[in-house]
Amino acid sequence: MNRLVYITGASSGIGQALALQYYREGWNLALVARRVDDLSAWAEQQGLAPSRWRVYRADVSDIDAITAIGRRCIAEQGLPDVVIANAGISIGMDTAIHEDLAVMQRVYATNNIGLAATFHPFVGLMRERRSGTLVGIASVAGIRGLPGHGAYCSSKAAVFSYCESLRGECRPDGVKVVTIAPGYVDTPLTRENRYSMPFLMQPEDFARKAYAAIEAGARVRFIPWQMGVVARVMRLLPGAVFDRLLAGRPRKHRQGER
């Protein structure tokens, strides 16, 4: 029997690249997205065997919807071996603008509550089985706050802490929790950025490295490794030095800005 991977945010970017990587490694796919027609068309274009993939429609920020889809996946395909909570959004905000508080709420609902809701249907059953891997997609941006990026940076900082907490809870029962922290990957999420993006990766290169890290059961893995070095340096920088380095850096654009 092929192993089963469950991936949210699978209709584009790194989610789609991860889906293809897992398929090529012989896994069956349970793919979750809002744009299921696009995702199904992509799978057919790639020539994926129909018996090895299913697509489910859900918005991870809708707790009832995403937990129901998890239960449906278990009923139709069985309990996954790996669950990747990949769905996420990145929107700039300005705290001085009232409507941007709703932007922050939306980012948290997707990147944090949506991540926990994605895991929810599987955690208890994986513990009972005493095997399985839960993967949270964080970001190097979660290490320090960046101008205009308060919602995204803080949401990804929370992913690190949440996954660390969950790892401690699940370890005694044989369930692994892996945190993957991408640097800059060439996806629709990053193409509108107005600042330089060092060590920019192609999605397929990221997916190969992420697959290897998940298979190895890494606790936390920065991809590419160079961004791991950057992250360690950023952690160690005194606040005053970090503030000077950011002086003049373009802020993340707000929704609708260019």
Side-chain angles (χ1 to χ4, degrees), residues 76-97:
E76 295 183 359
Q77 292 181 273
L79 180 61
D81 299 278
V82 172
V83 173
I84 304 177
N86 166 73
I89 57 175
S90 174
I91 309 171
M93 66 168 292
D94 184 338
T95 305
I97 299 175

Side-chain angles (χ1 to χ4, degrees), residues 90-123:
S90 174
I91 309 171
M93 66 168 292
D94 184 338
T95 305
I97 299 175
H98 185 270
E99 55 264 34
D100 280 10
L101 299 179
V103 167
M104 191 171 198
Q105 184 179 46
R106 179 182 164 201
V107 170
Y108 283 8
T110 299
N111 295 2
N112 303 119
I113 306 302
L115 180 143
T118 295
F119 289 160
H120 168 75
F122 308 108
V123 174

Side-chain angles (χ1 to χ4, degrees), residues 112 115-117 119 123 157-167 177:
N112 303 119
L115 180 143
F119 289 160
V123 174
V159 172
F160 282 107
S161 297
Y162 170 79
C163 287
E164 187 170 49
S165 297
L166 188 61
R167 188 176 304 120
V177 179

Side-chain angles (χ1 to χ4, degrees), residues 24-245:
R24 288 171 173 168
E25 296 290 343
W27 292 59
N28 289 343
L29 309 178
L31 306 177
V32 183
R34 292 175 298 174
R35 303 189 303 272
V36 296
D37 291 342
D38 291 347
L39 182 52
S40 296
W42 168 82
E44 291 168 1
Q45 289 167 4
Q46 294 295 322
L48 307 191
S51 62
R52 289 183 51 199
W53 60 274
R54 291 195 186 185
V55 170
Y56 303 93
R57 185 193 306 274
D59 183 336
V60 301
S61 66
D62 183 334
I63 294 174
D64 290 341
I66 190 61
T67 54
I69 285 299
R71 292 190 297 270
R72 180 180 161 195
C73 169
I74 294 167
E76 295 183 359
Q77 292 181 273
L79 180 61
D81 299 278
V82 172
V83 173
I84 304 177
N86 166 73
I89 57 175
S90 174
I91 309 171
M93 66 168 292
D94 184 338
T95 305
I97 299 175
H98 185 270
E99 55 264 34
D100 280 10
L101 299 179
V103 167
M104 191 171 198
Q105 184 179 46
R106 179 182 164 201
V107 170
Y108 283 8
T110 299
N111 295 2
N112 303 119
I113 306 302
L115 180 143
T118 295
F119 289 160
H120 168 75
F122 308 108
V123 174
L125 293 173
M126 283 184 171
R127 284 172 169 171
E128 290 177 12
R129 186 179 64 186
R130 301 193 65 81
S131 70
T133 302
L134 303 168
V135 182
I137 303 297
S139 171
V140 174
I143 300 300
R144 301 291 292 258
L146 302 172
H149 229 348
Y152 184 74
C153 289
S154 59
S155 75
K156 291 302 185 179
V159 172
F160 282 107
S161 297
Y162 170 79
C163 287
E164 187 170 49
S165 297
L166 188 61
R167 188 176 304 120
E169 296 167 15
C170 291
R171 186 183 301 114
D173 298 312
V175 177
K176 298 175 182 177
V177 179
V178 176
T179 307
I180 299 292
Y184 294 111
V185 183
D186 184 16
T187 69
L189 203 66
T190 60
R191 286 174 194 150
E192 294 182 354
N193 287 344
R194 300 187 292 192
Y195 41 78
S196 63
M197 295 183 285
F199 311 115
L200 182 68
M201 298 185 75
Q202 293 303 307
E204 57 271 21
D205 296 328
F206 167 83
R208 283 196 299 271
K209 295 178 183 299
Y211 177 83
I214 295 165
E215 282 290 274
R219 290 176 175 83
V220 180
R221 183 66 56 86
F222 289 86
I223 301 174
W225 66 265
Q226 294 94 331
M227 291 305 291
V229 175
V230 171
R232 292 183 182 92
V233 171
M234 288 172 66
R235 277 197 186 109
L236 294 173
L237 283 177
V241 175
F242 185 72
D243 289 348
R244 284 198 295 273
L245 287 175

